[in-house]
Every structure is written in C-alpha cells, then in structure tokens.
Amino acid sequence: MEFKELQKKILENAKRYEREHNLIIDEDFALLKLYEEAGEFAQAVLIHKKKSRPEKHLPAKESKKKVAEELADIVGMAVVNADRLNIDLEDALKKKWIRE
C-alpha cells in the first residue's frame, strides 16, 4: 500500500472514531492523543522488557504484539496530527529522513 493510501485510510478511521464517540479530533485533541499513545507505547515496552511490576508481565509474543499495536497508534496519530496541521507528512518524512 502506498503511503498516501495508508494516510487516507487512517484519516477515514479517525472520522469514524469521531462519529462513533461523538467528538471532534481538532489540533488539541490530536496532540494530546499522540502524547497518550506515546505513554502507552512506553508502558508496553517496559512490560515487554520485564522492567515493570511482575504482575504486568506477559508472554514475549503477546507483549511484543502490544508494543507493535502501541507503536502503530503513535504513527496513526502522527498522521492525524499532520492532517490537522495541514502538513504533507510524506514530503516532510522525505525531507527529514531520506536525504536524496
């Protein structure tokens, strides 16, 4: 799947989320949600690395899946933030990360 198509599907999902939960994902919500997801990612990594309370530990396969899910949430919210801020994320990534 091309990046633009992935972005489109993520944004469609965000619109569905807005409708289902009767809220508006504006710039403030998107930013705070990105921070929330970053915290959940950090927690998942700590659990995966067994650097959390033992009662939170999960089998390796399950904890790695949770880490991947939380990382996907961060990427998804980055796409939503870019949209709300009118930023071409694909172009920004190319300019910042891929120096051709």
Side-chain angles (χ1 to χ4, degrees), residues 11-68:
L11 294 172
E12 287 170 356
N13 189 55
K15 287 191 183 304
R16 186 172 35 258
Y17 184 88
E18 284 179 312
R19 285 191 309 272
E20 288 176 3
H21 298 284
N22 196 30
L23 56 85
I24 297 172
I25 302 176
D26 60 8
E27 289 178 17
D28 293 337
F29 181 95
L31 176 62
L32 291 170
K33 192 70 175 170
L34 179 61
Y35 275 103
E36 176 188 25
E37 298 303 347
E40 291 175 3
F41 172 68
Q43 181 180 35
V45 170
L46 288 171
I47 291 168
H48 180 66
K49 292 181 172 264
K50 307 281 193 249
K51 294 185 176 186
S52 63
R53 294 191 318 261
E55 63 268 19
K56 290 188 171 190
H57 293 176
L58 299 168
K61 190 173 182 179
E62 190 178 335
S63 66
K64 187 169 184 178
K65 180 181 179 216
K66 187 67 175 164
V67 169

Side-chain angles (χ1 to χ4, degrees), residues 64-79:
K64 187 169 184 178
K65 180 181 179 216
K66 187 67 175 164
V67 169
E69 289 172 352
E70 297 303 339
L71 186 56
D73 283 345
I74 290 172
V75 173
M77 286 313 302
V79 168

